[in-house]
Amino acid sequence: MTDAAIQSPDTAGLVDPSYESVQGMRSLRVLARLLDYPTRELQDACGELIEILNAERRLGAALKSSLMQWCQQLQDADLMELQAEYVAMFDKGRATSLLLFEHVHGESRDRGQAMVDLMAEYSAAGFELDARELPDHLPVFLEYLSLCDDAEIGRWLGEIRHILALLTARLEERGADHALVPLSLLALIGAEGDVEEHRPQVKQEKPDNTPEALDAVWEEEAVRFSATSDEDCALQSAEGRRLAERKNTVKSEAVRIMTPASSTSSANR
Protein backbone atom coordinates (compact mmCIF):
# COMPACT_ATOMS: atom_id res chain seq x y z
CA MET A 1 0.00 0.00 0.00
CA THR A 2 1.03 3.60 0.23
CA ASP A 3 4.02 4.95 2.12
CA ALA A 4 1.72 7.65 3.46
CA ALA A 5 -0.01 6.53 6.62
CA ILE A 6 -1.35 8.25 9.68
CA GLN A 7 -0.82 6.14 12.75
CA SER A 8 -2.30 6.20 16.23
CA PRO A 9 -1.94 3.83 19.17
CA ASP A 10 -5.26 2.24 18.22
CA THR A 11 -4.60 1.51 14.56
CA ALA A 12 -2.06 -0.16 12.31
CA GLY A 13 -2.08 -0.97 8.63
CA LEU A 14 -4.22 0.64 5.99
CA VAL A 15 -7.25 -1.63 5.68
CA ASP A 16 -7.30 -3.55 8.93
CA PRO A 17 -10.26 -5.82 9.87
CA SER A 18 -9.87 -4.80 13.51
CA TYR A 19 -10.53 -1.22 12.45
CA GLU A 20 -14.28 -1.84 12.81
CA SER A 21 -13.87 -1.21 16.53
CA VAL A 22 -12.56 2.28 15.84
CA GLN A 23 -15.03 5.10 15.34
CA GLY A 24 -14.92 6.35 11.77
CA MET A 25 -15.42 5.30 8.17
CA ARG A 26 -13.38 2.51 6.60
CA SER A 27 -14.60 3.58 3.16
CA LEU A 28 -12.54 6.76 3.45
CA ARG A 29 -9.43 4.63 3.70
CA VAL A 30 -10.49 2.78 0.57
CA LEU A 31 -10.90 6.09 -1.26
CA ALA A 32 -7.43 7.07 -0.06
CA ARG A 33 -5.96 3.87 -1.46
CA LEU A 34 -7.63 4.46 -4.82
CA LEU A 35 -5.63 7.69 -5.13
CA ASP A 36 -2.33 5.94 -4.38
CA TYR A 37 0.36 5.22 -6.92
CA PRO A 38 -0.65 1.78 -8.28
CA THR A 39 1.29 -1.19 -6.91
CA ARG A 40 0.90 -4.95 -6.97
CA GLU A 41 -0.12 -4.77 -3.34
CA LEU A 42 -2.97 -2.41 -4.22
CA GLN A 43 -4.13 -4.74 -6.97
CA ASP A 44 -4.08 -7.71 -4.58
CA ALA A 45 -6.21 -5.77 -2.09
CA CYS A 46 -8.92 -4.80 -4.59
CA GLY A 47 -11.21 -7.64 -3.51
CA GLU A 48 -11.18 -6.35 0.06
CA LEU A 49 -11.67 -2.77 -1.11
CA ILE A 50 -14.76 -3.85 -3.05
CA GLU A 51 -16.21 -5.54 0.05
CA ILE A 52 -15.74 -2.41 2.15
CA LEU A 53 -17.29 -0.18 -0.50
CA ASN A 54 -20.24 -2.52 -0.90
CA ALA A 55 -20.93 -2.25 2.84
CA GLU A 56 -20.86 1.58 2.82
CA ARG A 57 -24.50 2.64 3.11
CA ARG A 58 -23.81 6.39 2.95
CA LEU A 59 -23.06 6.24 -0.78
CA GLY A 60 -25.69 5.75 -3.46
CA ALA A 61 -25.93 2.49 -5.37
CA ALA A 62 -24.83 3.95 -8.71
CA LEU A 63 -21.73 5.59 -7.24
CA LYS A 64 -20.77 2.47 -5.29
CA SER A 65 -21.21 0.37 -8.41
CA SER A 66 -18.87 2.66 -10.36
CA LEU A 67 -16.27 2.54 -7.59
CA MET A 68 -16.40 -1.25 -7.35
CA GLN A 69 -16.18 -1.61 -11.11
CA TRP A 70 -13.10 0.62 -11.09
CA CYS A 71 -11.53 -1.54 -8.38
CA GLN A 72 -12.09 -4.59 -10.56
CA GLN A 73 -10.48 -2.84 -13.51
CA LEU A 74 -7.48 -1.91 -11.37
CA GLN A 75 -7.12 -5.52 -10.30
CA ASP A 76 -7.20 -6.82 -13.87
CA ALA A 77 -5.14 -4.09 -15.60
CA ASP A 78 -1.47 -4.16 -16.56
CA LEU A 79 0.43 -2.62 -13.65
CA MET A 80 2.95 -0.71 -15.75
CA GLU A 81 0.15 0.89 -17.75
CA LEU A 82 -1.62 1.91 -14.55
CA GLN A 83 1.57 3.47 -13.22
CA ALA A 84 2.24 5.37 -16.44
CA GLU A 85 -1.32 6.72 -16.46
CA TYR A 86 -1.00 7.79 -12.82
CA VAL A 87 2.23 9.69 -13.43
CA ALA A 88 0.70 11.46 -16.43
CA MET A 89 -2.36 12.40 -14.41
CA PHE A 90 -0.87 13.54 -11.11
CA ASP A 91 2.87 14.11 -11.45
CA LYS A 92 2.78 16.52 -14.38
CA GLY A 93 1.15 19.89 -13.99
CA ARG A 94 -0.78 21.30 -11.05
CA ALA A 95 -4.39 21.26 -12.22
CA THR A 96 -5.02 17.79 -10.81
CA SER A 97 -2.64 18.00 -7.88
CA LEU A 98 -3.58 15.88 -4.87
CA LEU A 99 -2.03 18.51 -2.59
CA LEU A 100 -5.09 20.33 -1.30
CA PHE A 101 -3.50 23.61 -0.32
CA GLU A 102 -1.76 24.00 -3.68
CA HIS A 103 -5.17 24.70 -5.20
CA VAL A 104 -5.80 27.46 -2.66
CA HIS A 105 -2.42 29.00 -1.85
CA GLY A 106 -0.24 28.06 -4.81
CA GLU A 107 3.40 28.35 -3.73
CA SER A 108 2.85 31.23 -1.32
CA ARG A 109 3.96 31.19 2.30
CA ASP A 110 0.32 30.88 3.30
CA ARG A 111 0.45 27.28 2.12
CA GLY A 112 3.22 26.49 4.58
CA GLN A 113 1.24 27.98 7.44
CA ALA A 114 -1.85 26.04 6.36
CA MET A 115 0.13 22.80 6.51
CA VAL A 116 1.47 23.69 9.96
CA ASP A 117 -2.11 24.25 11.12
CA LEU A 118 -3.21 20.94 9.63
CA MET A 119 -0.36 19.11 11.35
CA ALA A 120 -1.52 20.71 14.60
CA GLU A 121 -4.99 19.26 13.98
CA TYR A 122 -3.45 15.82 13.49
CA SER A 123 -1.39 16.13 16.67
CA ALA A 124 -4.31 17.42 18.73
CA ALA A 125 -6.28 14.33 17.72
CA GLY A 126 -3.40 12.09 18.80
CA PHE A 127 -2.16 11.14 15.33
CA GLU A 128 1.31 11.40 13.85
CA LEU A 129 2.24 11.56 10.20
CA ASP A 130 4.48 8.61 9.37
CA ALA A 131 5.08 9.37 5.74
CA ARG A 132 7.13 11.10 3.12
CA GLU A 133 3.99 12.82 1.84
CA LEU A 134 2.98 16.32 2.88
CA PRO A 135 0.10 16.65 5.36
CA ASP A 136 -2.22 18.15 2.73
CA HIS A 137 -1.81 15.16 0.40
CA LEU A 138 -5.40 14.02 -0.14
CA PRO A 139 -4.83 10.30 0.59
CA VAL A 140 -3.08 11.20 3.85
CA PHE A 141 -5.88 13.58 4.77
CA LEU A 142 -8.49 10.88 4.10
CA GLU A 143 -6.64 8.45 6.37
CA TYR A 144 -6.94 11.02 9.14
CA LEU A 145 -10.63 11.61 8.44
CA SER A 146 -11.30 7.86 8.44
CA LEU A 147 -10.59 7.88 12.17
CA CYS A 148 -12.80 10.87 12.97
CA ASP A 149 -16.47 10.92 13.91
CA ASP A 150 -19.14 11.94 11.42
CA ALA A 151 -19.35 15.51 12.69
CA GLU A 152 -15.62 16.09 12.20
CA ILE A 153 -15.65 14.41 8.78
CA GLY A 154 -18.53 16.62 7.72
CA ARG A 155 -16.77 19.75 8.98
CA TRP A 156 -13.59 19.02 7.07
CA LEU A 157 -15.29 17.95 3.84
CA GLY A 158 -17.34 21.12 4.02
CA GLU A 159 -14.14 23.16 4.31
CA ILE A 160 -12.60 21.66 1.16
CA ARG A 161 -15.74 21.09 -0.91
CA HIS A 162 -14.75 23.79 -3.43
CA ILE A 163 -11.40 22.04 -3.99
CA LEU A 164 -13.06 18.64 -4.34
CA ALA A 165 -15.57 19.98 -6.85
CA LEU A 166 -12.86 21.58 -9.00
CA LEU A 167 -10.72 18.44 -8.84
CA THR A 168 -13.69 16.29 -9.83
CA ALA A 169 -14.44 18.48 -12.84
CA ARG A 170 -10.83 18.44 -14.02
CA LEU A 171 -10.45 14.68 -13.63
CA GLU A 172 -13.76 14.06 -15.39
CA GLU A 173 -12.63 16.32 -18.24
CA ARG A 174 -9.54 14.11 -18.62
CA GLY A 175 -11.63 10.93 -18.52
CA ALA A 176 -9.98 9.69 -15.31
CA ASP A 177 -11.76 7.20 -13.07
CA HIS A 178 -9.99 8.94 -10.17
CA ALA A 179 -12.75 11.58 -10.38
CA LEU A 180 -14.94 9.08 -8.53
CA VAL A 181 -13.00 9.73 -5.32
CA PRO A 182 -13.62 13.47 -4.86
CA LEU A 183 -17.13 12.96 -6.24
CA SER A 184 -17.77 10.34 -3.54
CA LEU A 185 -16.50 12.73 -0.87
CA LEU A 186 -18.89 15.39 -2.11
CA ALA A 187 -21.70 12.82 -2.14
CA LEU A 188 -21.07 12.10 1.54
CA ILE A 189 -22.17 15.66 2.34
CA GLY A 190 -24.80 15.92 -0.40
CA ALA A 191 -22.71 18.34 -2.47
CA GLU A 192 -22.33 16.50 -5.79
CA GLY A 193 -24.02 19.44 -7.51
CA ASP A 194 -21.04 21.67 -6.71
CA VAL A 195 -19.17 20.10 -9.63
CA GLU A 196 -21.51 21.58 -12.20
CA GLU A 197 -20.44 25.18 -11.63
CA HIS A 198 -16.81 24.30 -12.43
CA ARG A 199 -17.40 22.41 -15.67
CA PRO A 200 -17.65 25.46 -18.00
CA GLN A 201 -14.41 26.90 -16.61
CA VAL A 202 -12.59 23.57 -16.81
CA LYS A 203 -13.59 23.10 -20.45
CA GLN A 204 -11.84 26.39 -21.25
CA GLU A 205 -8.63 25.54 -19.41
CA LYS A 206 -5.55 24.70 -21.43
CA PRO A 207 -3.76 21.46 -20.47
CA ASP A 208 -0.93 22.12 -18.04
CA ASN A 209 0.69 18.69 -18.38
CA THR A 210 2.02 19.01 -21.92
CA PRO A 211 5.78 19.42 -22.51
CA GLU A 212 5.18 22.99 -23.67
CA ALA A 213 3.12 23.87 -20.60
CA LEU A 214 5.65 22.31 -18.24
CA ASP A 215 8.50 24.24 -19.90
CA ALA A 216 6.52 27.47 -19.50
CA VAL A 217 6.04 26.80 -15.79
CA TRP A 218 9.77 26.24 -15.29
CA GLU A 219 10.54 29.48 -17.10
CA GLU A 220 7.97 31.40 -15.04
CA GLU A 221 9.30 30.01 -11.77
CA ALA A 222 12.83 30.97 -12.74
CA VAL A 223 11.71 34.56 -13.28
CA ARG A 224 9.77 34.64 -9.99
CA PHE A 225 12.54 33.11 -7.91
CA SER A 226 13.45 36.53 -6.56
CA ALA A 227 9.87 37.39 -5.55
CA THR A 228 9.91 39.42 -2.35
CA SER A 229 6.27 39.18 -1.37
CA ASP A 230 3.69 36.52 -0.76
CA GLU A 231 1.37 38.28 -3.19
CA ASP A 232 3.86 38.01 -6.04
CA CYS A 233 4.61 34.38 -5.23
CA ALA A 234 0.92 33.57 -5.13
CA LEU A 235 0.57 34.77 -8.72
CA GLN A 236 1.84 31.33 -9.73
CA SER A 237 -1.64 30.00 -9.06
CA ALA A 238 -4.43 32.09 -10.54
CA GLU A 239 -6.91 29.42 -9.56
CA GLY A 240 -5.51 29.46 -6.06
CA ARG A 241 -6.22 33.19 -5.80
CA ARG A 242 -9.78 32.69 -6.98
CA LEU A 243 -10.44 29.90 -4.51
CA ALA A 244 -8.79 31.76 -1.65
CA GLU A 245 -10.92 34.83 -2.35
CA ARG A 246 -14.04 32.71 -2.46
CA LYS A 247 -13.16 31.02 0.82
CA ASN A 248 -12.70 34.41 2.46
CA THR A 249 -16.00 35.79 1.21
CA VAL A 250 -18.32 32.80 1.48
CA LYS A 251 -19.74 32.26 4.93
CA SER A 252 -18.86 28.90 6.44
CA GLU A 253 -21.82 26.55 6.78
CA ALA A 254 -22.32 23.56 9.01
CA VAL A 255 -22.08 20.40 6.92
CA ARG A 256 -23.23 16.94 7.93
CA ILE A 257 -22.49 13.50 6.59
CA MET A 258 -25.48 12.16 4.70
CA THR A 259 -27.71 9.73 6.58
CA PRO A 260 -27.07 6.13 5.49
CA ALA A 261 -29.49 4.98 2.84
CA SER A 262 -32.35 2.89 4.15
CA SER A 263 -31.94 -0.84 3.75
CA THR A 264 -34.44 -3.64 3.52
CA SER A 265 -32.55 -5.44 6.25
CA SER A 266 -30.46 -4.09 9.09
CA ALA A 267 -28.34 -7.19 8.72
CA ASN A 268 -26.65 -5.54 5.75
CA ARG A 269 -25.00 -2.95 7.99
Side-chain angles (χ1 to χ4, degrees), residues 96-239:
T96 56
S97 174
L98 296 179
L99 298 173
L100 296 171
F101 296 147
E102 185 167 299
H103 294 284
V104 178
H105 301 299
E107 296 298 324
S108 72
R109 294 178 184 175
D110 288 340
R111 182 184 173 199
Q113 184 58 53
M115 286 193 287
V116 169
D117 294 341
L118 183 56
M119 284 294 295
E121 292 267 358
Y122 292 166
S123 297
F127 305 113
E128 294 183 1
L129 185 62
D130 179 22
R132 290 177 296 179
E133 294 290 355
L134 294 171
D136 65 333
H137 190 237
L138 184 53
V140 173
F141 182 65
L142 292 180
E143 286 193 40
Y144 165 68
L145 288 190
S146 75
L147 302 176
C148 296
D149 60 31
D150 281 5
E152 189 71 359
I153 295 170
R155 178 180 77 84
W156 272 113
L157 293 182
E159 287 289 329
I160 65 169
R161 60 190 290 177
H162 56 294
I163 301 174
L164 296 174
L166 178 62
L167 185 58
T168 300
R170 284 174 170 168
L171 290 171
E172 286 181 346
E173 183 67 18
R174 298 187 185 190
D177 289 323
H178 300 83
L180 292 170
V181 174
L183 182 62
S184 296
L185 298 174
L186 291 169
L188 288 174
I189 58 173
E192 306 99 307
D194 289 9
V195 180
E196 192 62 37
E197 68 177 273
H198 294 285
R199 288 195 174 108
Q201 167 208 325
V202 167
K203 287 185 179 297
Q204 299 300 318
E205 291 178 346
K206 295 181 179 179
D208 71 342
N209 59 348
T210 63
E212 295 77 13
L214 293 172
D215 287 344
V217 169
W218 279 108
E219 292 174 1
E220 181 181 2
E221 289 182 344
V223 171
R224 298 189 182 281
F225 184 76
S226 61
T228 57
S229 71
D230 289 349
E231 291 78 13
D232 189 31
C233 194
L235 288 175
Q236 295 180 41
S237 176
E239 183 58 31

Side-chain angles (χ1 to χ4, degrees), residues 3 6 10 35 53 59 92 132 193 201 225 232-233 238 264:
D3 289 326
I6 290 181
D10 298 316
L35 289 182
L53 288 170
L59 293 174
K92 296 180 180 180
R132 290 177 296 179
Q201 167 208 325
F225 184 76
D232 189 31
C233 194
T264 55

